[in-house]
Amino acid sequence: MLDFLVDRNGWPAPPSAGGCFPTFAIAMSGRSLVLSLKLKLLGLVLLLCLAVSTTVYAANSTYHAVQHLQQQSALAKAGDVRSIRPWMTIPYVAHICHVPAAYLYRALHIPETPSVQHLTLHALALRTKRPVDELIRTLQQAIETYRQQHPGPKSTPTREPAASSALAKGERP
């Protein structure tokens, strides 16, 4: 019955609350409760917006990373010399570019030893005290030279089925 004499935390109301009517302090605590709920809701909405924007940013970054990976994969499968990276080894470059590894070692003036075969281009550059970009350019030029000197088999056009080629010549199947 005298609930208005107890504030919202369960503590007795201050002596100024006395009487039968709620005081200004009790009325203000109700307003602060509403204000507190509004602030919590605003904070929740802001956190939700932050979470959504972070998710969109991460999805966009992932999409572009996958696109870049697919482009690099296509270059590597095609044996494009632009796909050579500092983390690759000479045998790996030879494999993806279809060039003998011994030819690449000779182009770099590096002896082909077992200890060198497992070094990355970056480690080789450090060992030979050359910039890694220069080492990669030398490899790219060597691969292009090798391809000019040793042209690979050209792709053969697909053959038409016998019936369609006979029709093209005006013969009956």
Side-chain angles (χ1 to χ4, degrees):
M1 184 162 174
L2 298 176
D3 290 339
F4 63 88
L5 292 178
V6 177
D7 71 3
R8 64 186 171 116
N9 294 325
W11 295 94
S16 63
C20 296
F21 300 103
T23 62
F24 179 74
I26 295 173
M28 287 305 293
S29 69
R31 286 185 185 166
S32 66
L33 180 64
V34 170
L35 184 61
S36 174
L37 288 175
K38 286 182 180 179
L39 286 176
K40 286 180 183 179
L41 183 62
L42 178 66
L44 187 63
V45 167
L46 288 175
L47 286 176
L48 181 64
C49 289
L50 179 66
V52 168
S53 63
T54 303
T55 303
V56 168
Y57 175 77
N60 187 30
S61 296
T62 302
Y63 174 74
H64 289 295
V66 167
Q67 271 189 331
H68 182 72
L69 181 65
Q70 288 174 342
Q71 289 172 350
Q72 291 299 319
S73 176
L75 285 175
K77 285 179 182 176
D80 193 336
V81 294
R82 293 177 294 171
S83 65
I84 298 174
R85 298 284 177 256
W87 58 264
M88 296 178 177
T89 62
I90 298 289
Y92 184 76
V93 171
H95 176 73
I96 65 168
C97 293
H98 309 291
V99 176
Y103 179 81
L104 296 178
Y105 282 112
R106 282 193 306 272
L108 293 174
H109 307 292
I110 297 173
E112 186 178 1
T113 61
S115 63
V116 173
Q117 288 179 349
H118 298 290
L119 292 178
T120 63
L121 295 178
H122 181 73
L124 280 173
L126 290 174
R127 183 179 274 192
T128 60
K129 295 180 175 62
R130 293 193 277 185
V132 71
D133 292 334
E134 177 188 319
L135 201 70
I136 290 174
R137 275 193 303 275
T138 304
L139 281 174
Q140 290 170 339
Q141 291 169 353
I143 292 166
E144 292 295 332
T145 303
Y146 180 84
R147 287 179 179 167
Q148 289 172 358
Q149 294 172 354
H150 304 88
K154 305 224 190 255
S155 61
T156 58
T158 57
R159 294 186 173 215
E160 297 177 6
S164 64
S165 64
L167 288 175
K169 294 179 183 176
E171 300 174 4
R172 290 193 149 184

